Structures are given as C-alpha cells and as structure tokens.
Amino acid sequence: MAIDACIVGIGTSHAVGLELGQTPLALQFEAFTASLEDAGLDKDLVDGIITARGAPSGVDYDEFVVAAGLNVRWVSQMWSHGRWTASALSQAALAVSAGVADYVAVTNSHVSERGYGRHLTSLDNRLDESFRDGGGPYSGWAIHGSPGAGTGAALVTQQYMDRYGATPADLAAVAVGHRLHAARNPFALLRDDPLTEADYLASPEILGPLRSPDICRMIDGATSLIVTTSDRAAELDVPFVRIAGIEGIRASRDNYVFFSRPGLGSGISAPSDYIAPDTSPVYEMAGVSRADIDALYLYDPFAHMVWMVMERWGFCKEGEAASYVRERGIGLDSPLPINTNGGLLAEGHLFGYGHLIEMTRQLRGTAGDRQVTDATVLQWANAWGDSLILTNQRG
Amino acid sequence: MSTKEAADHLALIPLKGRGRGLPPLVHPEIAPFWNSVAAGRLSLQRCKACGTLRFPLAPRCHTCLSASYDWEVIDPRGSVNVAVLNPSAPEGMPRIGLEPPWQDVTPYITGAVDMDCGIRLPGRIICDCNQARIPGTRVRGVILETTDGTPVYGFAHTCVVEVDAPA
Ligand SMILES: [Zn+2]
Ligand SMILES: [Zn+2]
C-alpha cells in the first residue's frame, strides 16, 4: 500500500509555559480548534483521532471525543512519551491511506507538575518505568540514583565523551544553536533568553556532564495536526505538504536505550563500531536520498541527541558529530539546519509535535525569519530509528 | 574515609554512611535476587536449558525462551563501563533533575559496571578519589543503605574497599 497522506491543518495552544493556568483539556481544545481553522475544516468531518500523551498529564482520546462532541470511527492511543511522535503521524498516514478514516487529528496536550499539574493530585503518582527490574528505557535506574530521563541522558553523553573525546564546548554549540533559532520564533519559551558559549561554560554541570541549557524543561502546552489524503487535501485551501516516507522505531537488546544511537553500548547493550546505512527505508519510500534533506528535525529533550541522530542517520561519521556541530552549527546558514523552531530545548517540550508543525510551516514557506531557503524535503529522525520525510513536492 | 576490609572474593562488602537511596520494589518473582543481596551475594539467573546468564531479571531466557533457571552467585568484581557525578545543587540554585531522596544523597557517582561474568549491571559507585569515573577502573560490589532499610547493591573503588581480595 502506498502512503497517500497530507498535513492540512496545524495548531498549538496559544502559548507554552508554566503559568498558562489551563487544564490539559483546555489547552488541547485551543490546539485542536486552531488546526481545524488552519485547515478550514468542520469538526464533524474529523473521523479519526490519535493521542500519544494521554492522562494524567494529557487527555485520553475518549475524554476528548466526549468533550469535543466528535464521532470518530478510528482511534489510536499510545503511551505517554515523546518517543511516539513519528509513530503517531505514521499511523495517521496509514489510516487515511487505507481508508479506515478520512481526516485524522493527531492531538496531544501536556501539563507539567510545576505548571497546571500542581492542581492535579493524580500527577503525584511516582510509578516510574525506571523501577522496572532491569531499569527503564533511558538507562533509568531509580534505585541506583539515575532515576528517569535526565541521568540516563547524562550516562549516554558521558559514554560518547569518554569514547570520542567530545568537549563541553562541543556540547555548548547544540544549546547555543537552539537558542538562536528560538530568538526568531515568537512562540518559543526561551525566545528572549539568549545563550552564548561563555554563558554555557560558566553554568555548572548538574547531571553528569549535562548543564541546565542541555536539559529541556517540561511545560504546559498542546498541539494538533490534521492528516488526510491528497485528494481531500486538494479540496482545502491549504499549501501542499505531503508525508512522503515513514520508518519505524527499531528495538533490540543491542539497541535498548532511549537516548543513544546503536553502538555506544548503553544500557545493557554491547558496544560496537557503528556505520550508518547508505540509505534507509524512509528515503526509499520517499524517493529521496540523504543529500536531498534541506533541514533535519529531531527529538531533543537533551542536547546530545543532536550528535546521536546525526551519526545514526549518517549525516556525520561515528564520533564526528560533536566537532561538526561546533564548527558548522545548526543554523539557517549551516549545511544542515536542525530544529529551526528551537527544538524542545528552547521552543519547549511539545513531544516533537512542535517540530512537525514547524516542518509544515517551513514547507508552506511561512516560517518567517527562520525560513529555510527553498525548503522542499525535510526529515524528522531519531536515534532509535524512527523517521518521517515531509515534502511539498508531488509524488 | 577508607575502610579497606578483607573479605571472601564473592562477598558484597557493607558500607554505612554513604547516603540512603530509594529502596527496590521487591516482588515474589525477583525476591531471590534481593534476598541474595541481603545475604551478601550478587546472584543472577542462569538458563537451565541453554546456559545463558541474564540481566535484566526476567521470567524467561531471552535466547531460548525457557522458563527454567537457577539463581547463580556471580563474582562481584568488574570494570566501570560509564560513570557520572551527580553533584550537589550549586549555591542558590534549585536542584533540578533529581527527585527525593537522591537530591539529599548528592554528590554521588552512578553508572554501570561490566562484571567479570560478562553481564553489565547498573549501580552507584562509591569512590573518594574520582578515579572510578574513568571507564575501565576496577570496582567490586558493596551493600548500600536505603530509606526503608532494604539493602541495595552498589560498587566501590579500591580507595574505599579492597577490590581484588584474595579468594
Ligand atoms: Zn536459554
Ligand atoms: Zn576512588
């Protein structure tokens, strides 16, 4: 089955932050209605919904269907994680391509424990996957003092620095680059919070080698994207943006850790040399090559993820991403602009959906000061193998 | 503090005053692992069908899917795979990234150790000289305290315990 799917509507909550004072449901309504208005679509036409975040800090699909008076015939709900961004959009693409739904809303909200979540006692539940007997997916080992994501990311970053000699100044270039993007994004959480390499190096290490600018903050916010077939998209007054390629998450005992590309020997996996494939299913499906990618978007809750993804997908050789990013940057003037919205690190943690909305804007040519010149083929890619290719070119 | 103790080569050496971390969630299937730690030994599951030694703890063998296994005491010595320092909060800054009780345990080193039996285990690494932050440094298993008193295993460097005690 060929993929036939377009993004026809994008929307966010009016802002992101910790003081929005709105429930996840209220935020999700803002994003959902914005995406309907963007598409020029009546809500009664939405017959599919995907939620990846869900309760308690988001909204389960059924709660939203009831609240919004929807009547859907296809539903998917995934686990509460930013890992599912590509999978969620892929499912929407597959659903409309197969005809099990005509218009799918990929709709998510989230409130932080330090945001509206402080009013929601259900968020006090400390059940944590890092209590798994073997530890969690991040190398999260709660009982050993590496609970959850932050220390897991710190361990991978340390492994990379130990093995390849990457420096704090190399890592600084990631956070500095994201802040420069955010300064051009009026929606970004840290738009007015510039960061220099000197600022970065003057801030203390707080989790292993990670400093505050390397760690994104959980915030309140919501996103929505509407996906439909190209024929239906043509009936709407929106620029053409197509989901041209999809590729799934890979997982094995040797590819276990959330915050690492294969080969570093993170978590329980064995270390090995890593050579990126020359091509990948996502490129084949889209009929493009790595050299065609005009900008790269990736899940960046922690700064080192830029290194992981560039090497996983072969934009740099093993061990070379750190110095590459320091020398060439990730800006609009670099060979490969990355996370032009400012990413999770500086736009805010929207689980990757903020990136997909940015990619859509770039392909529509409506990204303002941060427009990538002649953006035609953009890739979302992650260290654990999931990817999307979006394009404004017809197949 | 340097409390070098001679011990038999399979013993986890108890350490006091190194901070109380989170206790493990002990449930019946994995209780033998934690009972073994409390008794001063590290034990892992070895498949009776194909002989694979495994971690994470699991009801079946990841190689042959057999449900039949024995608990086997392993050598508590190994080499640091990766270690990070989680420092105390800088003066005047909130301690982000760590929940209680870990923010009260800082500064501490945590990471993973490649055990001599070929399995990698996570754990805190007790070291007063910082050398254990370097991959490859030899360490051995110890017993650490937790907030509810359940003992948890960890590792320690030669600056704290005798790593290669004679058998
Ligand atoms: Zn077996
Ligand atoms: Zn030491």
Side-chain angles (χ1 to χ4, degrees):
Chain A
M1 181 187 76
I3 295 289
D4 175 20
C6 292
I7 298 172
V8 294
I10 52 175
T12 66
S13 48
H14 74 283
V16 291
L18 291 176
E19 302 300 335
L20 304 184
Q22 288 172 279
T23 61
L25 187 55
L27 293 169
Q28 189 153 316
F29 265 118
E30 287 188 349
F32 180 68
T33 53
S35 66
L36 289 178
E37 282 166 24
D38 181 59
L41 198 70
D42 189 279
K43 81 168 166 92
D44 292 337
L45 288 175
V46 173
D47 60 352
I49 185 168
I50 300 180
T51 293
R53 184 67 211 179
S57 48
V59 180
D60 288 332
Y61 83 88
D62 54 324
E63 184 184 4
F64 190 70
V65 164
V66 168
L70 302 182
N71 182 8
V72 301
R73 61 187 176 112
W74 185 82
V75 160
S76 176
Q77 178 156 345
M78 282 170 275
W79 186 31
S80 303
H81 244 280
R83 193 184 323 177
W84 308 112
T85 316
S87 297
L89 200 69
S90 296
Q91 286 193 11
L94 290 166
V96 300
S97 300
V100 295
D102 294 339
Y103 300 90
V104 175
V106 182
T107 297
N108 285 285
S109 58
H110 173 264
V111 296
S112 160
E113 289 169 38
R114 293 181 179 85
Y116 198 87
R118 60 189 187 267
H119 305 298
L120 305 175
T121 53
S122 59
L123 293 197
D124 286 341
N125 181 352
R126 291 256 173 259
L127 251 189
D128 180 342
E129 69 249 8
S130 65
F131 267 111
R132 291 179 192 172
D133 296 329
Y138 325 110
S139 312
W141 288 309
I143 60 173
H144 300 298
S146 50
T151 314
L155 287 164
V156 173
T157 306
Q158 188 66 53
Q159 284 180 313
Y160 185 96
M161 291 173 134
D162 288 341
R163 184 155 164 184
Y164 303 110
T167 67
D170 291 335
L171 198 53
V174 175
V176 168
H178 280 78
R179 291 293 176 95
L180 288 170
H181 285 313
R184 299 176 175 197
N185 178 359
F187 182 69
L189 185 71
L190 300 181
R191 61 188 177 272
D192 299 321
D193 200 347
L195 180 78
T196 65
E197 182 189 280
D199 296 334
Y200 176 95
L201 293 173
S203 72
E205 294 179 339
I206 56 173
L207 283 175
L210 301 181
R211 298 162 205 248
S212 179
D214 298 318
I215 302 170
C216 80
R217 300 295 188 284
M218 300 306 288
I219 43 149
D220 297 1
T223 57
S224 182
L225 298 99
I226 311 282
V227 175
T228 191
T229 58
S230 55
D231 283 351
R232 290 190 184 87
E235 295 165 6
L236 299 168
D237 183 25
V238 291
F240 182 78
V241 175
R242 181 167 68 93
I243 302 167
I246 63 176
E247 184 168 342
I249 291 173
R250 299 184 186 215
S252 73
R253 286 180 72 88
D254 286 331
N255 190 1
Y256 173 66
V257 173
F258 197 28
F259 294 123
S260 173
R261 65 155 167 77
L264 285 173
S266 299
I268 61 165
S269 59
S272 62
D273 292 337
Y274 179 74
I275 298 169
D278 288 335
T279 186
S280 291
V282 74
Y283 298 129
E284 304 283 326
M285 188 185 294
V288 301
S289 74
R290 188 166 55 225
D292 296 322
I293 303 304
D294 296 314
L296 178 66
Y297 294 80
L298 61 100
Y299 186 59
D300 61 315
F302 303 100
H304 78 295
M305 291 299 279
V306 170
W307 299 344
M308 297 296 124
V309 171
M310 293 188 81
E311 295 181 11
R312 163 64 179 79
W313 289 88
F315 292 100
C316 286
K317 289 200 175 68
E318 173 181 12
E320 294 181 358
S323 55
Y324 174 97
V325 170
R326 189 178 180 191
E327 287 159 17
R328 315 290 289 273
I330 61 170
L332 298 178
D333 57 350
S334 75
L336 184 69
I338 295 176
N339 289 352
T340 54
N341 55 333
L344 276 64
L345 287 171
E347 182 185 56
H349 195 314
L350 292 167
F351 298 90
Y353 301 99
H355 298 58
L356 299 183
I357 287 168
E358 171 74 358
M359 292 166 75
T360 306
R361 288 197 183 108
Q362 289 282 353
L363 292 167
R364 289 175 172 185
T366 59
D369 290 346
R370 54 186 199 283
Q371 181 66 45
V372 174
T373 308
D374 297 328
T376 55
V377 182
L378 305 182
Q379 183 177 12
W380 165 267
N382 278 322
W384 51 101
D386 60 310
S387 185
L388 301 164
I389 302 281
L390 304 187
T391 183
N392 51 19
Q393 307 295 297
R394 293 185 189 268
Chain B
M1 185 178 76
S2 178
T3 55
K4 298 201 181 207
E5 298 179 36
D8 82 85
H9 75 289
L10 292 177
L12 298 173
I13 299 169
L15 294 182
K16 303 276 183 204
R18 294 295 183 153
R20 292 178 178 274
L22 274 182
L25 289 177
V26 182
H27 53 89
E29 184 182 285
I30 61 152
F33 177 85
W34 293 106
N35 292 341
S36 175
V37 169
R41 296 286 187 272
L42 268 177
S43 298
L44 294 178
Q45 294 155 301
R46 187 181 291 281
C47 176
K48 282 168 106 164
C50 78
T52 300
L53 187 67
R54 67 178 180 257
F55 184 82
L57 307 179
R60 285 183 182 245
C61 172
H62 60 269
T63 300
C64 74
L65 302 184
S66 168
S68 170
Y69 60 86
D70 289 320
W71 289 96
E72 178 175 307
V73 175
I74 64 161
D75 191 314
R77 293 171 295 188
S79 303
V80 172
N81 172 277
V82 60
V84 295
L85 173 68
N86 284 343
S88 303
E91 200 69 39
M93 274 179 67
R95 184 70 185 85
I96 66 167
L98 290 177
E99 304 290 344
W102 291 110
Q103 44 195 222
D104 300 325
V105 181
T106 59
Y108 64 88
I109 298 170
T110 186
V113 172
D114 288 320
M115 306 303 292
D116 290 354
C117 67
I119 296 282
R120 188 178 308 145
L121 291 180
R124 280 174 66 201
I125 301 169
I126 309 300
C127 169
D128 296 324
C129 75
N130 260 336
Q131 194 185 322
R133 290 172 65 186
I134 300 168
T137 304
R138 297 288 294 165
V139 294
R140 80 171 289 157
V142 297
I143 294 175
L144 298 171
E145 300 171 292
T146 65
T147 52
D148 78 354
T150 310
V152 67
Y153 76 90
F155 301 95
H157 181 229
T158 45
C159 68
V160 178
V161 298
E162 198 164 326
V163 168
D164 287 306

